[in-house]
């Protein structure tokens, strides 16, 4: 009898084996994901850096130059790969669309959480989810047929440009920012609202001075998320921005973004050439920026949690 | 019966959550500048009744209230009643300390801020006075700009009381204000309430019968949505009229 107890205790039981199996299975999955991310980072970084190491372009002339014509050469014999117009274009459409979208998102979120939660859940939530699900090419197509002519008629110019891009991106990021803002408002505890109302605050004062104020970190996270989405959006922007690699002098002249030049150029270059490498450099900027947005949301979240 | 100047008079108050009757005709009057304790087992309706006094139950959907509650002779459930003004007169302290995630100063100044006070100096004075009255000034005077959430539970609760005092209400409702606190913090709050009685009418819901007997002038005993008995605290605790009251007070149930 004694030996059988010893045997039972020292031998691995079926349950313990199952436990090990489950653990290793989930470990393999996560290792695979990490591996994919690391190899993508490595690949993009090595290709993107080749512009500077193999082709001898200086980082300054790439980030600060305003002439973009990778197949041509400038007067000094250096290739014309100034990416500043695209960088400017990307940041402009991102910030402008975020600035336009934020007040709408906050307004909609306040309505859906504070004023009419019932209608919000029944009607508005599905509408917002639908907006998230529309493919970006559809947004771009609508932008091309509606927004561009509208901008042309109201503001002049060709209609293609930063402004049209801003409008399209505004509609695209609005649902994301709104639904995240709703989440942020919903996490504000009910007892904050009760305390405020019990002190004789009106509903509006409660929303404005307590709920929104407590939700600031969450709202900022929502906006940064929207900005990350706007920064990385390619197709819809490409369809309405005009794709001229020029410094945007005004909001209605054709311009370009990092993503739009990337999608335009990637089919037309030979692997390993300068023209190809410099596109990878653009991709590297996009990657780094999405990393920056990611870190920003984390920092904001941490700061909010500490309070 | 002589004519008495009740500050709050409630008559035949019924409250329904949907179809469920939570208060079954409660009639209860409160004298100014007294502490009245509402006691009773969980779910007996004492907190629900307390929340009818500043219409906090309005925030819960599907709640119907019938009967009349008068504050200084004015029906607070009349359609003309401004709940915002009512809640400035009848302040409330909750069971869980619930300071806003702002600085201590901003918490106490909140009520002044929303009524549009701009005078910074006057605001400073009121904030200090309120924190002193709530017996928490010495704890926080050096860190008024620190987040109120950095304080201990007992300090937070006293800041919440200061926040109510800053609005200068006539009546303060407290919903089990010490049930989440340690005995020392509770004792501080109790002695503070006894001092506050000089200026305010206080209605306190409590599970702690010793607390009720220590600080209150009158005690009302609730059971299953009914008011069983109300009277001088000493009388309720030593010589109650009803058997149920005696059973509860002597610990036979609840």
């Amino acid at each position: 009898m004694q030996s059988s107890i010893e045997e039972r205790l020292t031998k691995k039981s079926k349950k313990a084996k199952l436990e090990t199996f489950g653990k290793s299975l989930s470990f393999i999955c996560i290792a695979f994901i990490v591996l994919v991310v690391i190899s993508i980072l490595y690949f993009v970084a090595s290709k993107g850096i080749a512009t500077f190491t193999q082709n001898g372009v200086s980082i300054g002339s790439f980030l600060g130059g305003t002439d973009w014509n990778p197949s041509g050469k400038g007067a000094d014999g250096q290739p014309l790969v100034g990416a500043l117009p695209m960088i400017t274009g990307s940041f402009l459409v991102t910030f402008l669309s975020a600035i336009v979208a934020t007040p709408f998102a906050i307004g909609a979120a306040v309505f859906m959480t504070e004023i009419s939660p019932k209608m919000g859940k029944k009607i508005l939530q599905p509408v917002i989810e639908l907006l998230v699900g529309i493919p970006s090419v559809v947004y771009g197509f609508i932008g091309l047929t509606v927004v561009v002519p509208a901008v042309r008629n109201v503001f002049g110019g060709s209609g293609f440009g930063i402004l049209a891009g801003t409008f399209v991106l505004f509609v695209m990021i609005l649902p994301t920012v709104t639904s995240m803002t709703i989440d942020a408002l919903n996490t504000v505890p009910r007892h904050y609202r009760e305390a405020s109302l019990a002190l004789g605050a009106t509903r509006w004062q409660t929303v404005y001075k307590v709920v929104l104020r407590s939700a600031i970190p969450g709202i900022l996270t929502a906006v940064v998320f929207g900005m990350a989405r706007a920064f990385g959006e390619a197709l819809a922007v490409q369809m309405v921005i005009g794709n001229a690699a020029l410094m945007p002098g005004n909001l209605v002249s054709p311009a370009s973004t990092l993503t739009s030049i990337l999608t335009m150029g990637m089919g037309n270059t030979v692997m390993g050439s300068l023209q190809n490498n410099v596109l990878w450099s653009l991709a590297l900027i996009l990657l780094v920026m999405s990393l920056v947005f990611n870190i920003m949301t984390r920092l904001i979240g941490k700061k909010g949690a500490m309070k | 019966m002589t004519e008495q100047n009740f500050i709050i008079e409630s008559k035949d108050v019924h409250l329904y959550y949907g179809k469920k009757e939570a208060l079954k005709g409660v009639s209860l009057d409160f004298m100014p500048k007294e502490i009245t304790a509402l006691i009773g087992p969980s779910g007996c309706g004492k907190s629900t009744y307390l929340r009818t006094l500043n219409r906090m139950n309005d925030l819960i959907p599907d709640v119907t209230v019938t009967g009349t509650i008068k504050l200084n002779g004015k029906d607070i459930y009349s359609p003309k009643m401004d709940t915002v003004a009512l809640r400035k007169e009848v302040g409330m302290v909750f069971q869980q300390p619930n300071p806003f995630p702002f600085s201590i100063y901003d918490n106490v100044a909140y009520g002044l801020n929303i009524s549009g006070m701009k005078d910074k100096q006057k605001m400073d004075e009121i904030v200090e006075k309120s924190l002193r009255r709530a017996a928490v000034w010495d704890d926080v005077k050096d860190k008024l700009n620190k987040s109120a959430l950095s304080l201990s539970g007992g300090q937070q609760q006293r800041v919440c009381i200061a926040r109510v005092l800053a609005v200068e209400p006539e009546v303060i409702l407290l919903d089990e204000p010490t049930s989440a606190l340690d005995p020392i913090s509770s004792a501080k709050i109790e002695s503070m309430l006894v001092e506050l009685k000089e200026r305010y009418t206080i209605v306190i819901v409590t599970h702690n019968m010793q607390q009720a007997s220590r600080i209150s002038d009158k005690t009302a005993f609730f059971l299953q949505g009914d008011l069983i008995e109300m009277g001088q605290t000493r009388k309720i605790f030593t010589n109650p009229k009803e058997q149920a009251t005696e059973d509860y007070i002597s610990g036979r149930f609840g």
Side-chain angles (χ1 to χ4, degrees):
Chain A
M1 207 59 201
Q2 193 136 27
S3 72
S4 90
I5 289 179
E6 194 188 327
E7 208 177 299
R8 260 190 287 149
L9 287 177
T10 46
K11 225 181 97 190
K12 238 181 171 182
S13 73
K14 210 176 165 194
K15 273 178 192 155
K17 272 184 200 155
L18 210 63
E19 179 96 3
T20 322
F21 175 72
K23 261 190 201 160
S24 21
L25 194 69
S26 52
F27 179 78
I28 290 169
C29 293
I30 197 72
F32 178 71
I33 292 173
V34 170
L35 193 75
V36 168
V37 171
I38 289 177
S39 38
I40 289 176
L41 279 176
Y42 172 77
F43 188 74
V44 174
S46 66
K47 282 282 186 185
I49 289 170
T51 311
F52 313 112
T53 52
Q54 285 174 21
N55 306 99
V57 178
S58 78
I59 294 182
S61 68
F62 173 68
L63 292 178
T66 55
D67 290 320
W68 177 263
N69 188 9
S71 41
K73 277 195 194 309
D76 54 354
Q78 284 289 318
L80 293 168
V81 289
L84 192 61
M86 286 84 85
I87 297 174
T88 318
S90 275
F91 275 102
L92 267 179
V93 289
T94 302
F95 283 118
L96 288 176
S97 58
I99 288 170
V100 184
T102 305
F104 280 91
I106 292 177
V110 165
F111 182 84
M112 288 175 62
T113 58
E114 311 293 325
I115 297 172
S116 182
K118 254 191 206 151
M119 191 169 132
K121 272 216 187 73
K122 250 192 219 146
I123 303 171
L124 297 172
Q125 193 83 35
V127 168
I128 286 176
E129 275 156 20
L130 188 73
L131 281 175
V132 177
I134 295 177
S136 61
V137 65
V138 176
Y139 279 113
F141 202 21
I142 295 171
L144 192 63
T145 45
V146 179
V147 177
V148 170
V151 170
R152 179 166 51 221
N153 292 335
V154 177
F155 299 100
S158 66
F160 292 96
I162 300 277
L163 195 62
T166 300
F167 284 144
V168 170
L169 281 178
F170 154 66
V171 180
M172 288 187 72
I173 68 172
L174 187 60
T176 315
V177 183
T178 305
S179 62
M180 286 186 66
T181 306
I182 290 169
D183 293 343
L185 297 189
N186 277 333
T187 56
V188 174
R190 206 172 72 110
H191 62 239
Y192 288 170
R193 297 181 176 90
E194 285 195 336
S196 169
L197 292 169
L199 285 164
T202 61
R203 244 165 121 196
W204 167 244
Q205 284 172 326
T206 303
V207 168
Y208 184 68
K209 300 201 171 186
V210 175
V211 178
L212 287 182
R213 189 171 159 188
S214 314
I216 285 175
I219 295 173
L220 280 179
T221 308
V223 172
V224 174
F225 245 84
M227 281 167 58
R229 185 158 185 225
F231 201 81
E233 174 51 41
L235 208 51
V237 179
Q238 188 208 332
M239 289 166 81
V240 299
I241 200 158
N243 301 308
L246 303 165
M247 275 307 272
N250 58 54
L251 295 182
V252 290
S253 65
S256 60
T257 64
L258 291 165
T259 48
S260 72
I261 292 299
L262 204 54
T263 44
M264 297 279 290
M266 62 190 172
N268 311 322
T269 55
V270 183
M271 205 61 170
S273 64
L274 166 75
Q275 288 87 340
N276 186 266
N277 285 344
V278 79
L279 290 181
W280 283 108
S281 302
L282 297 182
L284 185 61
I285 297 180
L286 283 169
L287 202 67
V288 169
M289 275 316 294
S290 70
L291 204 67
V292 168
F293 283 126
N294 216 312
I295 291 169
M296 267 166 79
T297 53
R298 299 225 156 208
L299 287 180
I300 294 168
K302 247 192 205 153
K303 210 176 154 222
M306 269 199 322
K307 260 193 182 169
Chain B
M1 230 10 214
T2 50
E3 185 74 11
Q4 281 182 305
N5 300 323
F6 294 117
I7 182 162
I8 298 175
E9 297 163 276
S10 62
K11 259 196 200 74
D12 197 29
V13 176
H14 291 260
L15 183 140
Y16 304 86
Y17 291 118
K19 290 236 163 66
K20 193 179 155 267
E21 190 174 26
L23 291 178
K24 302 167 182 166
V26 175
S27 299
L28 197 52
D29 302 327
F30 299 90
M31 290 288 290
K33 315 243 154 84
E34 273 191 353
I35 299 181
T36 307
L38 310 182
I39 60 169
S42 299
C44 67
K46 56 192 189 304
S47 290
T48 303
Y49 175 75
L50 188 79
R51 291 165 68 97
T52 60
L53 298 180
N54 68 343
R55 292 187 59 172
M56 284 305 277
N57 286 322
D58 291 17
L59 306 178
I60 304 166
D62 280 344
V63 162
T64 359
V65 181
T66 63
T68 55
I69 300 177
K70 285 183 180 165
L71 173 72
N72 288 325
K74 265 192 296 184
D75 183 3
I76 64 171
Y77 278 88
S78 91
K80 271 184 271 170
M81 189 70 209
D82 177 3
T83 52
V84 170
L86 168 71
R87 289 175 189 147
K88 285 193 172 129
E89 293 301 319
V90 185
M92 187 162 206
V93 177
F94 297 82
Q95 181 173 4
Q96 287 293 332
N98 59 352
F100 301 125
F102 313 155
S103 72
I104 296 165
Y105 184 95
D106 283 358
N107 262 282
V108 182
Y110 182 77
L112 309 170
N113 188 343
I114 54 174
S115 20
M117 182 182 281
K118 292 277 187 301
D119 187 345
K120 179 88 173 90
Q121 205 183 339
K122 205 172 160 207
M123 215 179 217
D124 289 349
E125 275 169 30
I126 297 177
V127 168
E128 180 177 340
K129 195 175 72 185
S130 309
L131 286 166
R132 276 186 195 284
R133 280 193 191 156
V136 69
W137 172 251
D138 290 332
D139 300 31
V140 302
K141 64 179 176 219
D142 298 323
K143 44 182 178 180
L144 290 175
N145 290 319
K146 283 249 177 74
S147 166
L149 297 182
S150 67
L151 299 172
S152 75
Q155 291 169 332
Q156 287 188 11
Q157 191 63 301
R158 280 177 281 152
V159 167
C160 291
I161 294 175
R163 184 172 66 182
V164 172
L165 297 181
V167 188
E168 286 287 340
E170 278 192 72
V171 182
I172 302 175
L173 311 175
L174 300 110
D175 190 357
E176 298 186 34
T178 61
S179 65
L181 305 182
D182 61 276
I184 295 172
S185 302
S186 306
K188 281 186 184 160
I189 288 182
E190 284 180 19
S191 60
M192 176 236 299
L193 290 177
V194 173
E195 273 178 39
L196 289 177
K197 182 171 86 164
E198 289 173 17
R199 298 166 180 278
Y200 307 96
T201 307
I202 295 173
V203 184
I204 178 170
V205 164
T206 177
H207 258 302
N208 181 336
M209 278 180 284
Q210 281 78 32
Q211 183 172 64
S213 65
R214 275 194 299 264
I215 63 173
S216 68
D217 302 290
K218 300 241 173 73
T219 298
F221 174 59
F222 281 71
L223 188 61
Q224 293 177 347
D226 276 316
L227 173 68
I228 303 295
E229 189 171 355
M230 148 85 163
Q232 297 292 334
T233 298
R234 185 172 306 160
K235 188 149 177 288
I236 295 275
F237 276 87
T238 54
N239 186 19
K241 270 186 255 161
E242 304 287 332
Q243 186 61 36
T245 316
E246 187 173 346
D247 288 351
Y248 180 69
I249 283 166
S250 54
R252 245 165 264 168
F253 73 96

